[in-house]
Amino acid sequence: KDEEPQHREVFEFEFSDQPLLPCYNIQVSLSQGPRNWLLLSDVLKRLKMSARAFRTAFAHIEVATIAEAEFYKQASLSQLFSCPEELEGFLPNSTEPLDLVEISGELATLLGSSIECLDARWDPVPVATS
Amino acid sequence: FDHSKAHFYRYDEQVSLCLERSLSSSGRDKNKLTLQQKFVRCSARAEVRHLRRVLCQRLSVDKQQVQMLFNNECLPDHMTMKQLWLSHWFGKAQPLVLHYTIKDKQAR
């Protein structure tokens, strides 16, 4: 029997006609595991909005805060951020807070992206591959 | 701490890709068969076959018509984006650039 759609594990593919904002896999609190976050400052730049306007218009979108040093520590552990230039704007010892917003369908749509979903089981593994 | 969904693909590390249509594609309708939104983000656990499948959905073509390439070499269906990244793109900036070819349906 199929699970409820919201509990089903699906691959999500975000498509955009402009380069995607950097996404960071970060654990911001001990009460939840790692999630994927965008820097609020990147989002505001892309949307050409002030932080105040964003928080007013999208009050339901949670903004999480993390110390820059902790953010750097976690982001730099990723093998996908192996290019030194990608994290060079961050200060490894700074205690300044960084605002993050979690990636969601709503945020992706706001940024002009569209989402395709794919059930991993939809395409069964063939016995012989080409 | 709810661990029940921690394995979901949406919480995985994400890879950022740029999908360019290969010049060697033989598809006739070039605009229709070229992705308008070529920047893609997905789980590092997604495999080449999943990428092919979503491309087919986007471009309305059969799965057999789409081939994913890196440096002109065809990528195996079961290679994950993380494997691809570590073996071909480590140390480089995002996004990872991949090519795709669309074969004419009649050519099969």
Side-chain angles (χ1 to χ4, degrees):
Chain A
K1 212 175 177 182
D2 266 354
E3 299 162 70
E4 292 292 316
Q6 67 267 32
H7 297 305
R8 216 162 44 200
E9 189 184 15
V10 293
F11 281 115
E12 292 172 16
F13 292 81
E14 179 181 344
F15 285 79
S16 172
D17 58 5
Q18 51 188 332
L20 291 155
L21 297 176
C23 165
Y24 306 92
N25 192 256
I26 302 282
Q27 182 168 13
V28 297
S29 79
L30 293 175
S31 61
Q32 60 172 215
R35 299 275 193 270
N36 288 302
W37 305 89
L38 306 179
L39 288 172
L40 178 63
S41 55
D42 285 346
V43 172
L44 297 176
K45 211 178 290 173
R46 180 79 43 109
L47 293 177
K48 297 185 175 68
M49 280 180 106
S50 68
R52 195 173 180 174
F54 181 86
R55 286 178 193 253
T56 306
F58 310 109
H60 57 287
I61 296 182
E62 189 198 344
V63 176
T65 301
I66 186 171
E68 189 168 355
E70 179 59 24
F71 173 88
Y72 182 88
K73 190 176 121 193
Q74 292 193 36
S76 60
L77 288 174
S78 167
Q79 292 172 308
L80 302 178
F81 281 99
S82 50
C83 175
E85 289 85 52
E86 287 181 309
L87 293 176
E88 72 180 1
F90 300 101
L91 300 171
N93 299 314
S94 168
T95 52
E96 284 296 305
L98 280 182
D99 287 334
L100 307 172
V101 274
E102 188 174 356
I103 289 189
S104 64
E106 182 186 9
L107 190 60
T109 307
L110 271 177
L111 293 165
S113 298
S114 54
I115 309 273
E116 294 276 350
C117 290
L118 191 66
D119 186 331
R121 292 164 298 184
W122 182 45
D123 189 10
V125 181
V127 177
T129 55
S130 55
Chain B
F1 191 145
D2 178 13
H3 290 278
S4 65
K5 294 178 192 167
H7 63 287
F8 276 22
Y9 298 122
R10 78 176 60 151
Y11 303 134
D12 287 350
E13 275 193 290
Q14 305 284 302
V15 292
S16 187
L17 310 170
C18 177
L19 305 183
E20 298 279 6
R21 190 170 179 215
S22 166
L23 295 174
S24 62
S25 287
S26 59
R28 277 178 281 173
D29 193 342
K30 203 174 173 185
N31 279 337
K32 189 177 158 243
L33 297 178
T34 300
L35 277 176
Q36 300 307 305
Q37 294 184 308
K38 65 178 185 176
F39 296 99
V40 179
R41 175 165 27 235
C42 63
S43 158
R45 277 192 286 163
E47 297 173 12
V48 168
R49 67 192 172 115
H50 299 125
L51 203 53
R52 282 177 67 201
R53 182 66 97 168
V54 283
L55 239 61
C56 295
Q57 275 176 225
R58 284 256 144 176
L59 300 171
S60 303
V61 294
D62 290 344
K63 194 180 154 199
Q64 293 78 7
Q65 290 177 261
V66 178
Q67 206 69 263
M68 302 303 305
L69 308 171
F70 182 86
N71 271 354
N72 278 330
E73 281 188 25
C74 189
L75 293 169
D77 256 356
H78 292 278
M79 182 178 247
T80 65
M81 293 302 119
K82 181 118 183 198
Q83 284 177 294
L84 186 59
W85 191 284
L86 295 181
S87 57
H88 293 84
W89 208 255
F90 190 79
K92 295 186 191 175
Q94 307 193 41
L96 189 168
V97 180
L98 291 180
H99 287 84
Y100 59 95
T101 57
I102 309 286
K103 292 181 203 162
D104 277 335
K105 211 171 179 179
Q106 300 91 308
R108 300 271 320 162

